[in-house]
Amino acid sequence: MSFMVHKRQSIKSEAAAMRIAIIALGSQGDVQPYIALGKGLRAVGYQVRLLTHENFEELVTAHGLEFYPMQGNVQELIETPEMRELTEKGNFITLTLRTAKESKQVAIRWAQAGLEACRGMDLLIAGVGGLYLTLAIAEKLEIPLLPAFVFPFTPTQTFPGILFPQSLNRWGGAVNWLSHQALRQIIWQGSRAGDTAARQHVLNLPPASFFGPHQSPYLHRLPTLYGFSPAVIAQPSDWRNTFVTGYWFLETAPSWTPPSDLENFLQAGSPPIYIGFGSMGNRNPEETADLVLQALEKTGQRAILSAGWSGMRTAKLPDHAFLVKSVPHTWLFPRVAAVVHHGGAGTTAAGLRAGVPTVIIPFFGDQGFWGQRVADLGVGTAPIPRKQLTAERLAQAMQTAVGDRAMRQRAADLGAKIWTEDGVANAVAVIKKLELTITKTPIEKSFPLI
């Protein structure tokens, strides 16, 4: 696809840095890649403002970025009994409808905050979590929008959409392409009511199409960036005007130091297995902890258990297990023998770069997709859906991850490839090349669409 380049009506002075607003909504794993991208942009001289949930202020400012709060605390929402139950059931559509109800209540306030925060910006960047809000603000303020995703969201005939069984691939390209369109509709319909309210009551814009604003010229004027490794997902041939840059890793903050008791545990024996489920809630966290401990007893493995937002805890741990609340994956994962987790995009990326085998226990959403991708690459076991998890299955998967030499070698080889990539630098280079095409002039409605 070719895209139209507008000439600037006025030339900026060299001293005037391009101003960029990034809107990142979701869990911590959803937000961290955009902090990393923002740091990379700031390092080359751009002014960067990150709009995200209130509970991530410390995380954003610790990495030197300007923080702008968007109402709401994702952790508090996920930890409600209703959301814990929905998460454990793993029905993405039901969960999307529930979160849509929550987001509709704050959509107007998000639009008000976003409108204020984005005034005077030269470029907006958004992932799937904040895509429709950012698109509406881009239309209102006539600011270019750069889509930047961490999981496949562009329709392709190469593989099925992330919510669908990858076995659909046997039916051919047309079925794959339709599954991506269905994915877009599921996400859009969950956002539509809030988007309409924001457009009507704050932005004075007409409602988007019932089927979504996916043909808006604001979505297609600039390229789409993908923050994952081409060694994990090769760029499909039918993705045009798209860059697969490599992962956007948020490295450990310079001020962070590991707890001494954690370092002592790591040095006291063989490398342990990491087990944690991130922001995935459990109605019975103690039951989950007991299941994990039973699996460890069967294998005789040492383990680091991460409480995370799942609240996984146990009153008394054996000597071969150590419980941590929050430790940067980029620091911890290279020090363990294998990683067991829910399959979030960011956690999966960190495990793959560490070069150790992966066991994914998907709850919902894109987690099953990453679990199957890990298995297909031969760097981990077949995913075990959370509803099917037993101590016996977990023990068998951990034994395979630790004992399969061929799997361990493939994981190490893939990790070495990912270490050679610099996804943030690659993404920043794309944006720098686009700088001369980014202007505040209105985007022509005759722009050719994908």
Side-chain angles (χ1 to χ4, degrees):
M1 166 192 168
S2 62
F3 61 94
M4 189 172 296
V5 177
H6 293 282
K7 293 183 179 179
R8 289 179 178 270
Q9 292 180 335
S10 61
I11 304 297
K12 286 186 177 182
S13 69
E14 291 185 1
M18 188 164 68
R19 296 157 296 183
I20 301 174
I22 303 174
I23 299 182
L25 304 177
S27 69
Q28 182 169 328
D30 297 319
V31 173
Q32 283 188 172
Y34 298 96
I35 299 176
L37 182 58
K39 286 182 65 177
L41 291 167
R42 184 174 178 270
V44 297
Y46 295 131
Q47 297 179 27
V48 181
R49 174 177 292 169
L50 189 73
L51 288 68
T52 190
H53 305 288
E54 298 165 326
N55 53 304
F56 296 130
E57 179 175 5
E58 183 177 347
L59 177 65
V60 173
T61 56
H63 289 276
L65 295 181
E66 180 185 351
F67 171 78
Y68 198 100
M70 302 292 277
Q71 184 180 28
N73 183 314
V74 176
Q75 182 173 348
E76 289 180 356
L77 172 62
I78 289 176
E79 289 183 343
T80 62
E82 182 182 0
M83 287 298 291
R84 284 183 182 272
E85 181 176 357
L86 289 173
T87 301
E88 191 166 328
K89 288 180 177 178
N91 187 314
F92 184 77
I93 295 178
T94 303
L95 192 64
T96 298
L97 292 175
R98 178 66 180 85
T99 54
K101 179 181 177 182
E102 293 288 337
S103 63
K104 182 181 177 181
Q105 296 175 4
V106 298
I108 289 177
R109 289 189 285 271
W110 280 354
Q112 291 169 336
L115 184 63
E116 179 65 26
C118 293
R119 289 189 189 278
M121 293 293 164
D122 300 303
L123 176 66
L124 306 183
I125 297 176
V128 172
L131 182 62
Y132 301 120
L133 170 65
T134 311
L135 176 58
I137 293 172
E139 292 179 5
K140 177 64 177 180
L141 299 178
E142 297 185 339
I143 300 173
L145 166 63
L146 182 73
F149 306 139
V150 296
F151 61 77
F153 196 63
T154 303
T156 177
Q157 296 189 37
T158 305
F159 52 80
I162 60 169
L163 297 185
F164 297 87
Q166 297 305 292
S167 59
L168 282 181
N169 212 7
R170 67 174 181 256
W171 296 103
V175 173
N176 289 342
W177 188 85
L178 287 172
S179 71
H180 287 276
Q181 296 293 352
L183 164 68
R184 285 184 165 191
Q185 283 305 304
I186 291 170
I187 295 177
W188 163 245
Q189 295 303 331
S191 307
R192 184 166 60 88
D195 185 77
T196 299
R199 285 172 173 268
Q200 290 181 335
H201 299 297
V202 179
L203 304 174
N204 193 27
L205 293 172
S209 162
F210 176 85
F211 297 104
H214 302 112
Q215 296 304 314
S216 168
Y218 283 85
L219 275 180
H220 304 297
R221 179 185 178 208
L222 298 179
T224 296
L225 301 184
Y226 275 105
F228 49 70
S229 170
V232 176
I233 301 178
Q235 179 165 326
S237 59
D238 53 358
W239 277 7
R240 298 177 178 85
N241 202 26
T242 300
F243 294 89
V244 177
T245 66
Y247 289 112
W248 305 328
F249 286 111
L250 183 63
E251 305 299 347
T252 305
S255 60
W256 187 84
T257 56
S260 58
D261 52 353
L262 172 58
E263 287 200 290
N264 292 338
F265 179 80
L266 286 168
Q267 296 171 8
S270 59
I273 295 174
Y274 168 87
I275 305 173
F277 302 123
S279 58
M280 298 298 100
N282 287 286
R283 285 179 293 172
N284 300 301
E286 292 86 356
E287 180 180 308
T288 301
D290 289 342
L291 184 154
V292 168
L293 292 176
Q294 289 175 34
L296 289 174
E297 187 68 27
K298 292 177 183 293
T299 64
Q301 296 291 330
R302 289 169 17 103
I304 291 176
L305 310 182
S306 175
W309 291 2
S310 68
M312 186 170 68
R313 57 191 182 272
T314 186
K316 190 174 182 180
L317 285 176
D319 292 340
H320 59 271
F322 187 91
L323 186 67
V324 296
K325 184 176 181 181
S326 178
V327 176
H329 294 161
T330 52
W331 180 88
L332 179 61
F333 283 5
R335 293 168 168 80
V336 302
V339 292
V340 179
H341 56 80
H342 60 295
T347 310
T348 301
L352 294 178
R353 188 174 72 160
V356 297
T358 296
V359 177
I360 288 183
I361 314 297
F363 286 64
F364 70 95
D366 62 332
Q367 297 163 7
F369 170 84
W370 294 116
Q372 190 58 53
R373 192 73 198 113
V374 162
D376 290 345
L377 290 167
V379 297
T381 64
I384 308 172
R386 175 62 184 90
K387 291 185 292 185
Q388 301 174 19
L389 184 65
T390 64
E392 290 74 17
R393 287 181 174 178
L394 180 56
Q396 184 177 1
M398 289 193 298
Q399 289 281 50
T400 300
V402 172
D404 188 326
R405 292 186 178 181
M407 179 183 291
R408 296 189 65 80
Q409 186 60 55
R410 287 191 294 267
D413 292 344
L414 178 59
K417 287 182 182 178
I418 294 173
W419 270 107
T420 65
E421 301 166 355
D422 191 336
V424 169
N426 292 336
V428 170
V430 172
I431 293 170
K432 285 183 70 68
K433 288 181 180 179
L434 291 170
E435 185 170 358
L436 291 178
T437 77
I438 294 172
T439 173
K440 291 185 179 181
T441 55
I443 295 179
E444 297 189 13
K445 304 306 180 183
S446 60
F447 177 77
L449 304 179
I450 289 177

